[in-house]
Amino acid sequence: MSCPSSDKSDKYDSRDVERLQQDDNWIENYLIWRHDVVDDTLKMIDESFQWRKEYMVNDLSEAALPKWLFENGALYLHGYDKEGYKLFWFRVKFHTKDPKLQFEKKKFVAFWLEHYARREHGKPLTVVFDMAETGVSHIDLDFIRFIINCFKVYYPNYLSKIVIFEMPWIMNAAFKIVKGWLGPDAISMLKFANKNEVQEYISAEYLPAYMGGIDTFKYSYPPLVDDDFQTPLCENGPITTEDETESKEEAEADSKEAGESSEEQILNVKKVCSVEQISKPDENDKTDSKTKNAKKALTIFKGPLLHISPAEELFFGSKEIGEKKCLIVLTNVTKNVVAFKVRTTAPDKYRVKPSNSSCEPGTSIDIVVSLHGGFAASLQDRFLIMAAEMDQASGAGVPELAQFWKEVPRNKVMEHRLRCHVVESSKPSTLTLKENSFNIPTKTNEDLHLQLTQLLQVNRRLQEQIDRCVWFQQLIVVLALFLVAIATFCFFLLYTQRC
């Protein structure tokens, strides 16, 4: 498939063209959304790239947009639906129709979608149109159509579903028009719900009280709303650098749950799972004993500071299956020491060891993530890995690391997010750790669909090669027949001349 070329710099942003030539997943998303019809896909890419240049999507940032847009609270990302997809909230009652401000508001939508797309690498999201306390004055069909077009054209394969909460009856006619914009393939993504039905799609954990939920989140700005990542507990207790006051009794309780012997419990209470202890030989031996039989992960995220494996998902078993541990492998690809720390949206559920340490140049470090007590992994759970280069002379002890993270500029910090995947089958498939053994997670429908798409592309390329070969063979046959005809004619002339 031919892609937009760099000679159309007046039409496209050169950064988009460069990304398209390097990012196979981006192309696949366009192909999937257009059912592998190449001509339709090219038209979609052309329209999308022109829009991206018009809205200067690659340059959108908090500083580039008016502050009041963020303070308004009409649009933001927060929480997850029951399938683990991020929620993109549109609080309609905070939106007012104003043609003079429409372009800025549309750029604000583009900012959030681009912010999410670059962070989550193609994971779909769920749009929530919260229409509680709205009326005719809030209807803005042009703005709604823009949001729909973002998913139909500009961010293909990013839409999981659209949940419309408590739509007023007076807007029924308007949403008949909206259904026409969506098209037949996307109408099934529309989910109308009231307070009694919305929990079919979103659990109470991520619903506010007026929707029947228990989420205490209240939007405010600054800072920019993000996942509520917190420091997790390590395998036998809290991180010393994060909580120096953890009691001896709590540390002992955690040690008992981990099944340690009484002698090891006393030792762990003294250490309180300090990050600096991970560098000692006895701790390394413990980690090695857990991971020495580990298989290589199937996917690797190649960041500028660290290569992270697995690239996107941690595979845990369901409560019935019982896989409780996963492995994350970090590899330092720089020439300097890289400090890292791991945070999670569910700090009470997970133990991470080590969660705040450093990695020497060219070396790898194993991080064991384990479920605590009787908790089960959830699709909504997320992990954030933060990394930054350290000065060789700064040291990598607990005090130095704590001071380093206070002082390091945010633009120097590499961030990568991992989501949880709950394996229901008895044959899971990556770095799922149980009793010192690793298994391979089952393929999801999404994985199979992507593989089928790749196979279709390979099959198409092979067919093109076969067609060229057949054409070349036919040409050779024609040339051979032509040469035979010439030779026959020459023999005939010689024969007639002798006669």
Side-chain angles (χ1 to χ4, degrees):
M1 185 178 77
S2 60
C3 299
S5 57
S6 57
D7 60 354
K8 295 186 177 181
S9 57
D10 58 328
K11 192 176 182 182
Y12 309 131
D13 188 320
S14 60
R15 290 168 290 185
D16 289 331
V17 176
E18 183 179 354
R19 179 185 168 196
L20 190 72
Q21 293 168 344
Q22 298 174 356
D23 190 344
D24 292 339
N25 289 331
W26 206 17
I27 298 176
E28 283 181 1
N29 279 335
Y30 283 108
L31 280 167
I32 291 169
W33 199 246
R34 288 305 187 206
H35 306 292
D36 297 322
V37 179
V38 176
D39 288 343
D40 290 348
T41 302
L42 288 173
K43 290 177 183 176
M44 187 178 185
I45 292 174
D46 176 67
E47 184 178 349
S48 175
F49 277 27
Q50 290 187 60
W51 171 82
R52 290 177 66 85
K53 183 168 184 180
E54 178 188 356
Y55 280 76
M56 298 181 291
V57 173
N58 289 308
D59 297 314
L60 289 178
S61 64
E62 288 183 69
L65 292 166
K67 189 177 179 181
W68 66 265
L69 284 171
F70 294 92
E71 294 173 337
N72 177 259
L75 289 165
Y76 56 87
L77 292 165
H78 171 69
Y80 303 89
D81 69 8
K82 285 191 170 181
E83 297 176 272
Y85 297 125
K86 191 74 177 177
L87 298 176
F88 184 38
W89 293 83
F90 179 23
R91 300 288 306 279
V92 180
K93 76 172 186 177
F94 294 130
H95 174 80
T96 53
K97 187 175 181 179
D98 187 344
K100 295 178 181 178
L101 302 174
Q102 198 78 320
F103 187 66
E104 291 295 331
K105 290 182 178 181
K106 289 179 179 179
K107 289 177 73 173
F108 187 52
V109 174
F111 163 80
W112 273 117
L113 292 178
E114 187 69 10
H115 173 76
Y116 174 83
R118 290 189 176 275
R119 193 180 74 183
E120 291 290 345
H121 310 292
K123 181 78 171 176
L125 51 74
T126 293
V127 177
V128 181
F129 279 100
D130 178 4
M131 306 188 77
E133 303 177 30
T134 60
V136 178
S137 61
H138 298 99
I139 295 178
D140 190 345
L141 291 180
D142 178 60
F143 193 68
I144 293 174
R145 185 172 191 173
F146 173 78
I147 293 176
I148 290 172
N149 275 342
C150 282
F151 291 102
K152 281 187 66 177
V153 181
Y154 313 137
Y155 291 90
N157 213 34
Y158 270 86
L159 182 62
S160 163
K161 66 182 78 68
I162 299 175
V163 178
I164 302 172
F165 179 73
E166 291 196 347
M167 186 183 73
W169 64 270
I170 202 168
M171 294 188 182
N172 285 333
F175 266 84
K176 286 181 181 178
I177 300 173
V178 171
K179 286 182 180 180
W181 294 337
L182 282 169
D185 293 337
I187 286 178
S188 61
M189 296 180 179
L190 274 179
K191 311 294 180 184
F192 294 90
N194 56 32
K195 189 174 180 178
N196 298 323
E197 300 165 338
V198 69
Q199 290 193 35
E200 293 179 21
Y201 313 108
I202 306 168
S203 64
E205 179 185 2
Y206 290 111
L207 288 173
Y210 69 87
M211 286 187 173
I214 57 173
D215 190 1
T216 57
F217 168 82
K218 293 190 181 300
Y219 180 86
S220 63
Y221 179 86
L224 194 68
V225 174
D226 200 350
D227 290 311
D228 187 20
F229 286 106
Q230 300 176 42
T231 300
L233 297 181
C234 78
E235 190 172 356
N236 297 312
I239 310 304
T240 302
T241 55
E242 300 290 341
D243 187 0
E244 296 285 355
T245 63
E246 181 69 23
S247 67
K248 178 178 179 179
E249 290 80 5
E250 287 175 312
E252 288 177 347
D254 283 340
S255 297
K256 288 176 183 177
E257 288 174 356
E260 298 291 336
S261 67
S262 60
E263 182 179 350
E264 287 174 327
Q265 288 172 19
I266 295 171
L267 181 60
N268 285 331
V269 170
K270 291 179 180 179
K271 293 180 179 178
V272 202
C273 205
S274 299
V275 172
E276 70 269 21
Q277 299 296 334
I278 198 63
S279 62
K280 295 185 178 182
D282 58 338
E283 292 293 328
N284 279 329
D285 291 342
K286 288 181 182 179
T287 303
D288 290 342
S289 69
K290 293 176 181 176
T291 60
K292 61 184 180 181
N293 295 323
K295 295 179 181 179
K296 292 291 184 182
L298 301 179
T299 56
I300 299 175
F301 168 76
K302 296 182 178 180
L305 305 181
L306 296 174
H307 286 183
I308 302 172
S309 180
E312 294 183 359
E313 294 182 321
L314 294 177
F315 287 85
F316 288 93
S318 63
K319 213 165 186 177
E320 292 75 19
I321 295 174
E323 283 86 357
K324 297 293 184 182
K325 296 186 179 181
C326 286
L327 184 72
I328 302 173
V329 181
L330 306 182
T331 303
N332 184 349
V333 294
T334 72
K335 296 180 180 179
N336 299 314
V337 175
V338 171
F340 69 86
K341 61 181 178 180
V342 183
R343 310 192 82 188
T344 179
T345 56
D348 295 334
K349 293 169 61 172
Y350 296 96
R351 301 292 184 264
V352 179
K353 183 177 181 180
S355 67
N356 186 5
S357 188
S358 60
C359 189
E360 296 294 324
T363 63
S364 297
I365 190 166
D366 295 340
I367 298 174
V368 178
V369 180
S370 56
L371 279 163
H372 175 57
F375 286 109
S378 168
L379 294 173
Q380 289 89 356
D381 297 342
R382 295 291 191 274
F383 287 86
L384 172 67
I385 298 172
M386 304 172 67
E389 284 186 282
M390 297 183 71
D391 186 356
Q392 295 283 3
S394 62
V398 175
E400 290 84 1
L401 284 170
Q403 189 63 29
F404 171 77
W405 286 113
K406 289 179 181 178
E407 297 176 350
V408 63
R410 186 172 178 83
N411 60 359
K412 299 292 184 181
V413 177
M414 181 194 103
E415 294 186 353
H416 184 66
R417 289 162 172 79
L418 297 171
R419 53 186 179 265
C420 289
H421 183 91
V422 181
V423 180
E424 300 296 340
S425 169
S426 59
K427 296 182 179 179
S429 99
T430 93
L431 296 173
T432 302
L433 177 62
K434 182 184 179 184
E435 296 178 356
N436 302 338
S437 64
F438 289 80
N439 302 313
I440 297 182
T442 51
K443 294 288 183 183
T444 63
N445 288 337
E446 184 181 348
D447 295 331
L448 292 174
H449 185 66
L450 289 175
Q451 283 196 350
L452 286 172
T453 303
Q454 292 169 351
L455 287 172
L456 283 171
Q457 294 178 37
V458 171
N459 182 63
R460 186 162 52 246
R461 287 194 290 267
L462 288 173
Q463 187 63 47
E464 290 172 354
Q465 292 177 359
I466 291 170
D467 291 341
R468 284 195 294 270
C469 289
V470 170
W471 179 84
F472 188 66
Q473 288 176 339
Q474 290 173 342
L475 179 63
I476 291 175
V477 170
V478 171
L479 290 174
L481 290 173
F482 182 69
L483 291 173
V484 169
I486 291 176
T488 304
F489 182 70
C490 291
F491 279 118
F492 176 75
L493 289 178
L494 290 172
Y495 177 76
T496 53
Q497 286 178 357
R498 288 179 180 176
C499 294

